[in-house]
Amino acid sequence: MQSNEIRSAFIDFFEKRGHQFIPSSPVVPIADKTLLFANAGMNQFKPIFLGDETPDHPRAVNTQKCIRVSGKHNDLDVVGMDGFHHTFFEMLGNWSFGDYYKPDAIAWAWELLTEVWGLDKDRLWATVYTDDDEAFKLWPDVTDISKDRVLKFGEKYNFWEMGETGPCGPCSEIHYYIGDDPKNQSAKGVNSSDDYWELWNLVFIQSNRNADGKLKDLSQKHVDTGAGLERIVSVMQNKSSNYETDLFSPIIQSIEKITGINAKDNPSPFHVISDHIRMLCFSIADGALPSNGGRGYVLRRLLRRASRFGRMLDQREPFMFELVDTVGQIMGDVFPEVVEKSAHIKKVVQAEESMFNDTLDRGLVHFDKSLDASSGKTIPGKDAFKLYDTYGFPLDLTMLMARERGYSVDEKGFETEMAAQKKRAKASGKFTADSGSLDWVNLSKGKDSKFLGYETMESESKVRRFASSKDSIHLVLDKTPFYAESGGQIGDKGTINGKGITLKVENTVKDGKSHIHICSGKWSESALKSVLSSSVDGPRRQNIRKNHTATHLLNSALKVVLGEHCQQAGSLVHPDYLRFD
Ligand code: SER
């Protein structure tokens, strides 16, 4: 059976049993701040499990795009080391929202695996949570599994939680022995040997983990199941690794074509690259972009890892963007976004590859030098930091490369360097405000920062409060024509003068709703009590305005020329230029 047929068979099976098909949610969560990426099929149903939403239908089935590279569920370090863990994968699932419970969930999973898909019962194992006697008894009652193939495990394996908080419950997993000789199986191998693959997890959601760590019973009991499509396809297609299935082999063939190297000679780079390009395609299609922080940095880290594996295949120019169409050919029928947005995905991937290519070779030289210079088998934090800061090597890439050579990295030393650099950056930001660390003196009462700057460039103002530091004085006024930096638009400059006061406004920034004027020049506390004349540098503001308008024009033009999929991720509006992300 082809992967597309296997996926459809799952959906058909549950639709015939009264389940409604629900499309996958985007892999970039829209509303859930607890997640960087969708990490399980149940994410989009969380409000239903918690009782905050009522479902349209009590049973659902779907295939969910999942990414597990951060937080509680993180498989990144093993990707490429084995044939069955991925950064991006598809999770098939069937759900009961306060409807059926353990008996049906267990019986249907078994029926589909053994009768519809015809998997060998003598290779399947079931596990249940140590306290769940009900599920332990049900397995041999509602299926024809042999009793000695039902095992109990503790919290680590059989109590499923989505994250630090959220819906959770005891679970029952189904494992498959993929070894050559079924006679070599034993209960000891389950959850310990890579010859036993977890194919399916039936979670009996009955509690919510609160932020204080305590479990609270939910008002209803639910079923949340997840079956790894890639592993099921692998088992069904009689392969010993997911990379040999029709979900991956076309990507691997494309890499072989581009590089002229046979994957059998050195499989690991082929595996990592084919895994990472799927993750990049789907996350970018759903709106994520590589960047220096948060979710975007996960994309950047993955792309840089893949680029470095590309170097192992002698790729010196961007090449991964050429794999985007292959991913579309494999999965575009089910997830059309990866085809519809392919032009955008290619551009983003190529631009990132190109950027890292510039420093990758020099970084590799530095890496080799740091191995030679390190005493013992630990790369000093200073070197790992230089690789990060100067050559753009994410720490986990340096750690991976170190592991390959039998070294480790002084992570603590890396963090110390990072903290020192942050401190330096802060010290150099003389005219940026860190208002929390300043001692403010109140001079007058009332509301502050009434913004007049759309109507006028000048005003008479009273000082509400001020704070001084070594190089500057910070002023908050009752009303002001100065625009404070926000939304990518830079703050105004100008002057504030009065009797005994001659100040240059070097920058204007926001602190909540207050506009903070960061000034240098002559002042005294008593002189600040009189009325002052504020005046914005008009020609400079006019240039900022023009660039602001140009940003909107550019956004609109990009949508017309490249398509509606273009998304503005940020911008910087400056008097001399604009930057559009
Ligand atoms: N939520 C469970 C898992 O991710 C089952 O879908 O394993």
Side-chain angles (χ1 to χ4, degrees):
M1 257 172 133
Q2 296 293 294
S3 53
N4 280 342
E5 297 168 302
I6 295 170
R7 187 191 291 108
S8 302
F10 181 92
I11 293 162
D12 285 353
F13 180 89
F14 285 101
E15 279 183 335
K16 283 199 184 102
R17 283 154 187 81
H19 292 64
Q20 185 184 41
F21 179 76
I22 307 277
S24 171
S25 66
V27 87
V28 175
I30 303 166
D32 193 335
K33 295 226 172 354
T34 67
L35 288 172
L36 275 191
F37 296 99
N39 67 6
M42 53 76 69
N43 295 165
Q44 66 170 313
F45 303 121
K46 182 175 162 187
I48 299 179
F49 290 145
L50 295 179
D52 296 336
E53 261 177 35
T54 316
D56 293 339
H57 203 272
R59 300 176 183 188
V61 57
N62 86 350
T63 179
Q64 171 68 42
K65 303 176 282 186
C66 296
I67 290 181
R68 288 192 172 176
V69 287
S70 57
K72 194 169 177 74
H73 301 282
N74 184 352
D75 292 332
L76 182 58
D77 277 344
V78 285
V79 171
M81 307 275 178
D82 66 26
F84 61 104
H85 280 96
H86 301 291
T87 55
F88 169 89
F89 66 100
E90 253 181 277
M91 190 184 279
L92 303 166
N94 57 287
W95 283 272
S96 152
F97 305 126
D99 187 30
Y100 63 83
Y101 205 44
K102 295 178 189 176
D104 286 328
I106 292 173
W108 284 336
W110 190 253
E111 184 186 344
L112 179 56
L113 286 172
T114 60
E115 286 171 36
V116 180
W117 286 337
L119 294 190
D120 184 354
K121 289 172 193 166
D122 294 328
R123 283 176 179 266
L124 288 167
W125 296 80
T127 66
V128 299
Y129 183 48
T130 184
D131 289 351
D132 193 351
D133 290 329
E134 185 190 0
F136 188 70
K137 230 175 109 341
L138 273 169
W139 265 102
D141 276 358
V142 298
T143 74
D144 57 2
I145 193 169
S146 107
K147 264 193 174 150
D148 55 353
R149 287 182 167 268
V150 185
L151 312 171
K152 281 188 171 180
F153 283 90
E155 209 156 304
K156 180 171 172 205
Y157 295 108
N158 283 84
F159 193 90
W160 196 85
E161 307 203 34
M162 107 181 230
E164 295 314 318
T165 58
C168 52
C171 61
S172 180
E173 295 183 340
I174 305 171
H175 295 240
Y176 184 84
Y177 175 70
I178 59 143
D180 294 333
D181 187 355
K183 285 197 208 76
N184 289 339
Q185 293 178 82
S186 86
K188 281 204 188 89
V190 179
N191 280 329
S192 69
S193 152
D194 277 357
D195 280 345
Y196 299 76
W197 287 5
E198 177 204 334
L199 293 187
W200 202 330
N201 188 10
L202 318 174
V203 186
F204 309 119
I205 300 266
Q206 53 195 42
S207 322
N208 184 32
R209 176 81 68 190
N210 290 329
D212 62 7
K214 293 206 174 94
L215 286 179
K216 189 165 179 279
D217 281 353
L218 293 170
S219 57
Q220 281 188 304
K221 291 181 173 170
H222 313 275
V223 172
D224 151 33
T225 78
L229 175 72
E230 293 75 5
R231 292 183 191 175
I232 289 179
V233 171
S234 196
V235 167
M236 299 275 296
Q237 295 181 352
N238 222 355
K239 308 287 188 198
S240 54
S241 152
N242 297 351
Y243 296 105
E244 292 166 27
T245 67
D246 66 336
L247 286 169
F248 284 91
S249 56
I251 311 177
I252 291 181
Q253 282 155 16
S254 294
I255 306 172
E256 286 181 321
K257 215 158 137 203
I258 295 168
T259 60
I261 299 173
N262 193 320
K264 290 207 171 66
D265 297 340
N266 184 10
S268 185
F270 288 83
H271 293 174
V272 174
I273 295 166
S274 60
D275 173 275
H276 289 11
I277 192 65
R278 287 178 9 130
M279 183 281 187
L280 290 164
C281 282
F282 281 95
S283 54
I284 296 170
D286 280 346
L289 283 172
S291 70
N292 266 343
R295 179 179 296 131
Y297 194 54
V298 178
L299 270 71
R300 181 160 283 169
R301 275 164 51 209
L302 252 72
L303 191 131
R304 293 186 173 189
R305 275 164 92 108
S307 285
R308 181 267 173 175
F309 278 95
R311 274 295 194 282
M312 293 166 83
L313 303 175
D314 291 332
Q315 291 312 292
R316 310 215 146 254
E317 297 300 323
F319 72 101
M320 272 181 291
F321 74 98
E322 293 180 54
L323 304 170
V324 174
D325 284 335
T326 314
V327 175
Q329 280 150 21
I330 303 169
M331 299 172 80
D333 283 350
V334 193
F335 303 111
E337 62 276 21
V338 74
V339 176
E340 283 157 13
K341 305 220 172 139
S342 66
H344 166 65
I345 302 170
K346 281 186 215 170
K347 277 210 165 72
V348 172
V349 171
Q350 187 178 11
E352 272 292 304
E353 289 188 86
S354 185
M355 194 162 87
F356 188 46
N357 266 348
D358 292 343
T359 56
L360 175 54
D361 286 320
R362 283 183 288 131
L364 290 172
V365 171
H366 183 79
F367 176 78
D368 284 338
K369 274 194 196 149
S370 62
L371 288 190
D372 293 342
S374 62
S375 58
K377 289 271 179 187
T378 306
I379 297 178
K382 255 196 166 78
D383 283 310
F385 186 72
K386 181 150 187 188
L387 280 163
Y388 165 82
D389 197 37
T390 311
Y391 303 112
F393 280 47
L395 177 63
D396 60 275
L397 173 56
T398 305
M399 288 168 68
L400 174 92
M401 288 165 41
R403 266 203 312 274
E404 286 170 2
R405 308 275 284 268
Y407 283 72
S408 63
V409 175
D410 173 11
E411 287 178 67
K412 264 208 166 135
F414 175 89
E415 295 305 338
T416 310
E417 293 294 323
M418 182 73 121
Q421 198 224 35
K422 280 196 180 138
K423 217 167 155 190
R424 283 194 298 274
K426 208 165 159 192
S428 70
K430 204 161 81 178
F431 294 117
T432 58
D434 181 3
S435 61
S437 63
L438 294 170
D439 284 332
W440 288 92
V441 179
N442 292 318
L443 290 187
S444 63
K445 284 199 176 130
K447 287 194 175 154
D448 67 67
S449 307
K450 182 172 185 321
F451 182 57
L452 309 172
Y454 290 137
E455 296 97 43
T456 177
M457 295 285 165
E458 298 188 342
S459 82
E460 301 288 293
S461 313
K462 272 175 116 179
V463 178
R464 287 285 187 240
R465 58 182 193 273
F466 77 94
S468 62
S469 67
K470 203 167 112 247
D471 308 295
S472 56
I473 171 163
H474 295 52
L475 298 180
V476 173
L477 308 174
D478 60 341
K479 47 188 190 302
T480 176
F482 284 83
Y483 181 86
E485 183 175 326
S486 64
Q489 178 166 323
I490 206 140
D492 279 336
K493 293 190 181 194
T495 55
I496 295 179
N497 294 318
K499 225 171 151 223
I501 304 273
T502 319
L503 291 173
K504 224 170 123 184
V505 180
E506 308 278 1
N507 196 4
T508 314
V509 297
K510 259 195 179 158
D511 180 25
K513 288 195 173 140
S514 299
H515 291 214
I516 301 180
H517 307 78
I518 305 174
C519 312
S520 59
K522 201 176 111 210
W523 63 279
S524 69
E525 183 169 343
S526 59
L528 285 175
K529 288 178 184 154
S530 57
V531 173
L532 307 177
S533 307
S534 312
S535 174
V536 171
D537 177 341
R540 182 177 178 276
R541 164 78 85 77
Q542 189 56 15
N543 285 341
I544 294 175
R545 266 196 185 138
K546 287 179 185 165
N547 279 334
H548 179 118
T549 305
T551 311
H552 287 289
L553 292 173
L554 188 52
N555 191 14
S556 186
L558 284 168
K559 285 191 193 286
V560 172
V561 177
L562 299 174
E564 280 298 321
H565 63 270
C566 283
Q567 289 177 34
Q568 180 175 351
S571 67
L572 176 67
V573 181
H574 192 273
D576 302 331
Y577 58 87
L578 67 90
R579 196 195 69 222
F580 188 95
D581 306 334

Coordinates of all heavy atoms in Angstrom, one line a residue, residues 39-42 68 73 91-92 95 160 198 201-203 224-227, ligand 1:
N39 N 2.3 20.0 18.4 CA 3.1 18.8 18.7 C 2.3 17.5 18.8 O 2.8 16.5 19.1 CB 4.0 19.0 20.0 CG 3.2 19.1 21.3 OD1 1.9 18.9 21.2 ND2 3.8 19.4 22.4
A40 N 1.0 17.7 18.6 CA 0.1 16.5 18.7 C -1.2 16.8 18.1 O -1.6 18.0 18.1 CB -0.1 16.0 20.2
G41 N -1.9 15.8 17.6 CA -3.2 16.0 17.0 C -4.2 16.6 18.0 O -5.1 17.3 17.5
M42 N -4.0 16.4 19.3 CA -5.0 16.9 20.2 C -5.0 18.4 20.5 O -5.9 19.0 21.0 CB -5.0 16.2 21.5 CG -3.6 16.1 22.2 SD -3.1 17.6 23.0 CE -4.3 17.6 24.4
R68 N 8.1 18.2 16.5 CA 8.6 18.0 17.9 C 10.0 18.4 18.0 O 10.9 17.5 17.8 CB 8.3 16.6 18.3 CG 6.9 16.3 18.5 CD 6.6 15.0 19.2 NE 5.1 14.9 19.5 CZ 4.5 13.9 20.1 NH1 5.2 12.8 20.4 NH2 3.3 13.9 20.3
H73 N 8.1 17.7 24.2 CA 8.3 16.6 23.2 C 9.3 17.1 22.2 O 9.0 17.9 21.3 CB 6.9 16.3 22.5 CG 5.9 15.8 23.5 ND1 5.9 14.6 24.0 CD2 4.9 16.5 24.1 CE1 4.9 14.4 24.8 NE2 4.3 15.6 24.9
M91 N 0.5 12.8 12.3 CA -0.1 12.0 13.3 C -1.6 11.7 13.0 O -2.4 12.7 12.9 CB 0.0 12.7 14.7 CG -0.4 11.8 15.8 SD -0.4 12.7 17.4 CE 1.3 12.6 17.8
L92 N -1.9 10.5 12.7 CA -3.2 10.1 12.5 C -3.9 10.0 13.8 O -3.3 9.5 14.8 CB -3.3 8.7 11.8 CG -2.5 8.6 10.5 CD1 -2.4 7.1 10.1 CD2 -3.2 9.3 9.4
W95 N -10.8 10.7 17.8 CA -11.1 11.4 19.1 C -12.6 11.1 19.5 O -13.5 11.0 18.6 CB -11.0 12.9 19.0 CG -9.5 13.3 19.1 CD1 -8.8 13.5 20.2 CD2 -8.7 13.4 17.9 NE1 -7.5 13.8 19.8 CE2 -7.4 13.7 18.5 CE3 -8.8 13.3 16.6 CZ2 -6.3 13.9 17.7 CZ3 -7.7 13.5 15.8 CH2 -6.5 13.8 16.3
W160 N 0.3 10.4 29.5 CA 0.6 11.3 28.4 C 0.2 12.8 28.8 O -0.9 13.0 29.3 CB 0.0 11.0 27.1 CG 0.6 11.7 26.0 CD1 1.8 11.4 25.3 CD2 0.2 13.0 25.4 NE1 2.1 12.3 24.3 CE2 1.1 13.3 24.4 CE3 -0.8 13.8 25.7 CZ2 1.0 14.5 23.6 CZ3 -0.9 15.0 24.9 CH2 0.0 15.3 23.9
E198 N 6.9 2.2 18.8 CA 5.6 2.6 19.2 C 4.9 3.1 17.9 O 5.3 4.0 17.3 CB 5.7 3.8 20.2 CG 4.3 4.3 20.6 CD 4.4 5.7 21.1 OE1 5.4 6.2 21.6 OE2 3.3 6.4 21.0
N201 N -0.8 5.5 20.1 CA -0.9 5.8 21.5 C -2.4 6.2 21.7 O -2.9 7.1 21.0 CB 0.0 7.0 21.8 CG 0.0 7.3 23.3 OD1 -0.5 6.5 24.1 ND2 0.6 8.4 23.7
L202 N -3.0 5.5 22.6 CA -4.4 5.8 23.0 C -4.4 6.5 24.3 O -4.1 5.8 25.3 CB -5.3 4.5 23.1 CG -5.0 3.4 22.0 CD1 -5.8 2.1 22.4 CD2 -5.4 3.9 20.6
V203 N -4.7 7.7 24.3 CA -4.7 8.5 25.6 C -6.1 8.6 26.1 O -7.0 9.0 25.4 CB -4.1 9.9 25.4 CG1 -3.9 10.6 26.8 CG2 -2.7 9.8 24.7
D224 N -8.1 10.5 23.1 CA -7.2 11.2 22.2 C -6.2 10.1 21.7 O -5.4 9.6 22.4 CB -6.5 12.3 23.0 CG -5.1 12.6 22.4 OD1 -4.9 12.5 21.2 OD2 -4.2 13.0 23.3
T225 N -6.2 9.8 20.4 CA -5.3 8.8 19.9 C -4.3 9.4 18.9 O -4.7 10.4 18.2 CB -6.0 7.6 19.2 OG1 -6.4 8.0 17.9 CG2 -7.2 7.2 20.0
G226 N -3.2 8.8 18.8 CA -2.2 9.3 17.8 C -1.4 8.2 17.3 O -0.8 7.4 18.0
A227 N -1.4 8.0 16.0 CA -0.7 7.0 15.3 C 0.3 7.6 14.3 O -0.1 8.5 13.5 CB -1.6 6.0 14.6
Ligands
SER1 N1 -1.6 12.9 22.3 C1 -1.0 11.6 22.1 C2 0.3 11.6 21.5 O1 0.7 12.6 21.0 C3 -1.9 10.7 21.3 O2 -2.4 11.4 20.2 O3 1.0 10.6 21.6

